[in-house]
Each structure stands twice: as structure tokens, then as C-alpha cells.
Amino acid sequence: RGVFPPPAAAAAAGEGAELWAAQVRRVAARIDRQAQRAGLRVAPPKALRFDGRRVRGCSVFNLRPRNAGDTIVYYRGRILGSGERLKSERARSYYFCLDGDYTMDGGTGGERPHAAHVSAYLNSPAGCIDAAGAPLKPNLDASIHPSMGLGQRVIKLVARRDIEVGEELFFEYGPLVDKYLEVARPPRRPTTSAERNEEAAPEDEDEGSGSEDEVYAELVKLGHGSL
């Protein structure tokens, strides 16, 4: 489901830059289809960090009026066993922990992935403020539904309250990761989703996680990037 090797691996396999570019386009096309079905758009964040600087990276915005309790989107991706999870912060930024054994990976795979599904661009409000300067609150709730097994609808994101057109969407990643995002550190984008219930918060080992996103660059060509 959207997993592809990094450019170096693709080249080493003789697949080259053209295959890499085609894979990026396919992932972007899938994200665009998901966004259109769900009434969402990927664009630069509007949220401000506690120090007043903008969050880096990408975010998801609502394009339809929503009522409290409406299902907005599902967090989709590959199911990873405990032994398949990578240690890099960049890889883990797309992980959603289901339980002690399984994790949903919303990224494209590898140590330096991009988002592979529209839900992987959703941010946490932790460490951010609203227009009045108060701590930003989530407008989505994430819930795990064991009855769905390990399928693509096991993680549901629903509206916590009525949501207006144009609002940026947020959900809490979990107390440990959200606390990590709130601590004093150089401003950077929050990780777009994160493995929960870990014994320790992830180390800030990947200073390149806010770098150019090739998938997002393709999404801009498809009409994303502005509201």
C-alpha cells in the first residue's frame, strides 16, 4: 500500500529516477483521491507554535461542513509487526500503534518516508496556539475498533465538534508524544502521526524531516497547496 524504496535503493536495483518519479506520482494520485472522497485538502499549516512561528511541513484542511460525531477519514497504511518497526523518528512519525504487537504505518516505508495516505498529513495540536493565543485544541478524535481486525478501517477519525469549511484538522497523538511536542525545542513541524504508548518519547534525530516532500510537490500539481 504505497510502499516504495528510497531513490538510492531504486537506482541500485536498476530502476532509476523514472521509476522513483512514477511511484511518487502514484502515491500522490491516491492521496488526492482519498482527499476528494473525504472532502479534504493538503496544504501548508496555518497553526502557530507556542513561540508564534508557523508549524513546518504539511497539514489537512476541511472542505465540507461537519457535525460533531461525523466520520472524517480513516488512518490507513501497512500493518507492521513489532519486529518490523524502524527506530528513526522520520519513519515513526507515520506510525499509529494499535497494540503491543501491531502498528499502522501511514508512510511510504523506509528510514525517510513520505506520507502515503491523506490521513498521514494530520497533525497534533500539541505545542500550538489558536488565534487568541490559547493552547490549540483537537477537533478530531481517533479511535481503534478491534472488530475491524487489522483492516484499513480499524482507526477512525471523527469530528469532536462541529467543524467549519476551511478549518485545519488535528487529533491528539497520545500523552507521551504530545508532551514531547510541547517541550521547549527549536520550532519545527510536529510529526504527522506517531507511534503511541512507547516507553519513551522519540529522540530528535532527524533534522531533515521538514525537508522538501516530493509527494506533496505532486499534490500541488493536482490542486492541493491552497484553500
Side-chain angles (χ1 to χ4, degrees):
R1 292 183 181 272
V3 179
F4 52 87
E15 295 168 314
E18 290 185 7
L19 178 56
W20 169 254
Q23 291 168 324
V24 168
R25 288 194 296 271
R26 283 197 294 271
V27 171
R30 181 178 61 245
I31 291 174
D32 180 54
R33 291 193 298 271
Q34 293 173 346
Q36 290 191 46
R37 288 196 298 266
L40 305 173
R41 182 165 296 166
V42 179
K46 291 184 177 180
L48 299 177
R49 293 286 292 178
F50 61 89
D51 61 1
R53 297 184 65 174
R54 287 199 179 275
V55 173
R56 295 172 62 192
C58 302
S59 193
V60 181
F61 293 82
N62 178 49
L63 299 183
R64 301 173 187 164
R66 314 283 186 165
N67 297 319
D70 285 353
T71 297
I72 307 302
V73 70
Y74 294 90
Y75 198 93
R76 299 175 182 270
R78 287 193 308 147
I79 296 295
L80 303 179
S82 58
E84 298 177 282
R85 292 181 295 206
L86 301 177
K87 296 297 184 181
S88 75
E89 181 186 346
R90 173 99 174 223
R92 292 171 61 190
S93 71
Y94 297 112
Y95 289 0
F96 194 118
C97 186
L98 297 173
D99 56 28
D101 296 319
Y102 296 103
T103 296
M104 184 78 78
D105 180 7
T108 55
E111 294 283 347
R112 297 184 57 79
H114 300 302
H117 302 268
V118 67
S119 53
Y121 280 119
L122 289 166
N123 285 317
S124 166
C128 296
I129 56 176
D130 62 21
L136 191 63
K137 301 295 184 183
N139 46 21
L140 301 181
D141 283 320
S143 58
I144 297 172
H145 296 268
S147 63
M148 302 304 294
L150 296 177
Q152 293 296 296
R153 295 198 168 198
V154 65
I155 305 168
K156 181 187 293 188
L157 291 143
V158 302
R160 174 176 285 202
R161 56 167 173 78
D162 293 350
I163 301 175
E164 298 179 2
V165 172
E167 281 196 58
E168 192 169 359
L169 301 178
F170 303 94
F171 75 98
E172 294 174 330
Y173 293 167
L176 288 177
V177 177
D178 284 343
K179 183 65 176 177
Y180 170 70
L181 293 173
E182 290 171 356
V183 300
R185 54 184 281 188
R188 53 170 290 174
R189 73 171 176 87
T191 51
T192 50
S193 80
E195 185 174 7
R196 301 175 175 186
N197 302 321
E198 290 291 318
E199 295 181 357
E203 294 294 328
D204 190 10
E205 63 187 37
D206 184 9
E207 292 299 328
S209 60
S211 61
E212 178 66 21
D213 184 331
E214 294 166 277
V215 173
Y216 177 69
E218 288 297 323
L219 284 171
V220 170
K221 297 176 185 179
L222 296 173
H224 295 262
S226 61
L227 298 177

